[in-house]
Amino acid sequence: MVRKECRSKIREKKHMKIRNRFSGTPERPRLAVFRSNNHMYAQIIDDTVGNTLVAASTLEKDVKAELEHTNDVAAAAYLGTVIAKRALDKGIKTVVYDRGGFVYQGKVKALAEAAREAGLEF
């Protein structure tokens, strides 16, 4: 019988391939996205020192209060604007987008497009 690898293992392999191609620098940090079944998380990371510069998720009270659901495309788009505003407040204008091994569609795409519209460049 042919066994198929589980989706999470496949995603982790894709993520490691992506991470080998680029990393965040102080001039251009990495915008890392993680999506679970119930929430989305976004972090802007400087990989040279391993520090998270800015973070946002749908678990936060002020973000959650604005949303009807925390796991749909509208929530991802709102999270994209939140992370972009926080990054611009810290003086971060350009980032490298790390989709975390997820396919660039749906929620992951909505977050990226909303962050671009809010002023982040990538």
Side-chain angles (χ1 to χ4, degrees), residues 100-112:
F102 297 105
V103 179
Y104 187 79
Q105 69 181 16
K107 298 175 210 171
V108 176
K109 184 178 179 181
L111 189 142

Side-chain angles (χ1 to χ4, degrees), residues 19 23-26 28-32 43-48 50-54 98:
R19 287 286 292 117
S23 66
T25 62
R28 194 166 174 190
R30 175 170 58 99
L31 172 58
Q43 297 179 3
I44 296 181
I45 304 166
D46 178 7
D47 288 318
T48 57
N51 283 346
T52 299
L53 306 172
V54 180
D98 177 9

Side-chain angles (χ1 to χ4, degrees), residues 29-110:
R30 175 170 58 99
L31 172 58
V33 174
F34 180 75
R35 157 180 87 74
S36 71
N37 288 338
N38 296 324
H39 295 283
M40 283 200 76
Y41 310 85
Q43 297 179 3
I44 296 181
I45 304 166
D46 178 7
D47 288 318
T48 57
V49 266
N51 283 346
T52 299
L53 306 172
V54 180
S57 76
T58 56
L59 280 171
E60 297 172 6
K61 278 188 177 182
D62 54 339
V63 175
K64 200 178 213 181
E66 297 290 323
L67 304 172
E68 189 175 336
H69 299 287
T70 58
N71 63 348
D72 58 357
V73 175
Y78 183 72
L79 187 65
T81 58
V82 168
I83 194 78
K85 285 178 187 173
R86 291 182 185 176
L88 292 172
D89 290 343
K90 286 250 180 157
I92 301 167
K93 293 183 179 83
T94 60
V95 295
V96 176
Y97 188 65
D98 177 9
R99 58 185 173 89
F102 297 105
V103 179
Y104 187 79
Q105 69 181 16
K107 298 175 210 171
V108 176
K109 184 178 179 181

